[in-house]
Amino acid sequence: MASENEVKQYLAYWFQLGKKVLIRNGQETLLPKKVIQGASYSDEFERCWQQIISPDSGECYLEGTDETIAELLAPAWDMIDCARCSMPIPVRNAGMPPEACPCFDLSGWPNTEAPSPRSPIDTQAHLTQIRDRLLKNK
């Protein structure tokens, strides 16, 4: 089962590549300009997420996919990495995988020369871990 955090991360990664989320049954689109801010998601991204999971937004889905965000939050779905581009994609627990990765219409992707989308990183915790490893090896 895909957790809410996994679905949120899935959208954050695809937002970083310019994919939009269609809400209100495709009548409106969401694409935050800034997804990550420091060690967490940006306020703009968090507002988009709240709008996406709101029942008032109707069916919401990532551009180029058929699965709604509500479906992805159901127990029948997991997140795996695409074999072609290593980006997260949804897959049913049982049954066939989706026909295509959302990257199918991104020209020049995958691009190993450009930084890949990422999750927020707590730099202080990361630096503390490095320091601790260095002190341990000393």
Side-chain angles (χ1 to χ4, degrees):
M1 175 177 143
S3 70
E4 185 171 311
N5 284 338
E6 288 175 311
V7 175
K8 191 174 183 179
Q9 181 182 34
Y10 160 76
L11 292 178
Y13 274 46
W14 288 106
F15 279 153
Q16 290 174 63
L17 290 180
K19 286 284 188 172
K20 300 172 186 162
V21 166
L22 291 90
I23 66 170
R24 292 182 180 44
N25 306 319
Q27 295 177 357
E28 294 179 39
T29 61
L30 298 175
L31 178 61
K33 289 183 173 96
K34 192 170 197 167
V35 176
I36 295 173
Q37 185 169 355
S40 59
Y41 291 117
S42 70
D43 290 341
E44 183 183 12
F45 173 79
E46 291 291 353
R47 283 191 299 275
C48 285
W49 174 250
Q50 290 305 314
Q51 196 170 359
I52 289 165
I53 61 173
S54 169
D56 297 335
S57 294
E59 288 191 352
C60 303
Y61 50 93
L62 182 68
E63 182 179 42
T65 66
D66 296 321
E67 305 82 24
T68 67
I69 303 305
E71 287 175 325
L72 298 181
L73 291 167
W77 294 88
D78 284 323
M79 290 291 164
I80 64 167
D81 290 340
C82 172
R84 177 176 174 255
C85 71
S86 300
M87 291 287 286
I89 59 169
V91 63
R92 284 191 178 277
N93 291 340
M96 296 298 292
E99 289 183 28
C101 173
C103 72
F104 79 95
D105 63 353
L106 293 175
S107 62
W109 188 259
N111 181 353
T112 57
E113 301 296 318
S116 296
R118 64 177 184 85
S119 297
I121 299 169
D122 183 348
T123 53
Q124 188 62 40
H126 186 69
L127 291 172
T128 301
Q129 290 173 347
I130 292 170
R131 183 202 64 206
D132 292 346
R133 283 196 318 260
L134 291 171
L135 289 173
K136 182 180 175 183
N137 291 333
K138 204 171 186 183

